[in-house]
Amino acid sequence: MLNLDDIIELRKIIKDKYNQTMHVHDTCGGQYFDFDEKIDGIQDVVNDYLSKLNQKAEFASDGLSFTVE
């Protein structure tokens, strides 16, 4: 699970690098994140950022959404 500061920082990285908005969904079942379109390399950027937090993204098969493990 990401805290608000981590979410803000990751959203900024994605926006600056790809001009893409990362949508955040925080429900009682947990968090998940998604994008409007699939962009090559975005999964690597997300995983690089999360690895610094000792976490990993689990992407859906379509590459448009992920959860944090």
Side-chain angles (χ1 to χ4, degrees):
M1 185 169 228
L2 297 179
N3 67 42
L4 187 56
D5 290 334
D6 294 332
I7 292 169
I8 291 168
E9 186 173 346
L10 182 55
R11 283 184 64 154
K12 182 178 181 336
I13 291 167
I14 297 295
K15 187 69 165 177
D16 290 349
K17 187 166 180 99
Y18 296 104
N19 195 32
Q20 172 82 267
T21 300
M22 182 181 79
H23 303 284
V24 180
H25 307 274
D26 195 0
T27 65
C28 47
Q31 295 174 328
Y32 73 95
F33 307 86
D34 64 8
F35 305 103
D36 293 329
E37 60 185 275
K38 186 175 179 179
I39 296 177
D40 289 335
I42 205 164
Q43 291 181 13
D44 293 332
V45 170
V46 170
N47 276 317
D48 286 346
Y49 179 80
L50 292 178
S51 71
K52 296 173 188 171
L53 303 174
N54 295 318
Q55 298 189 54
K56 184 179 183 232
E58 179 67 37
F59 278 86
S61 60
D62 64 6
L64 291 173
S65 64
F66 68 94
T67 57
V68 177
E69 295 182 353

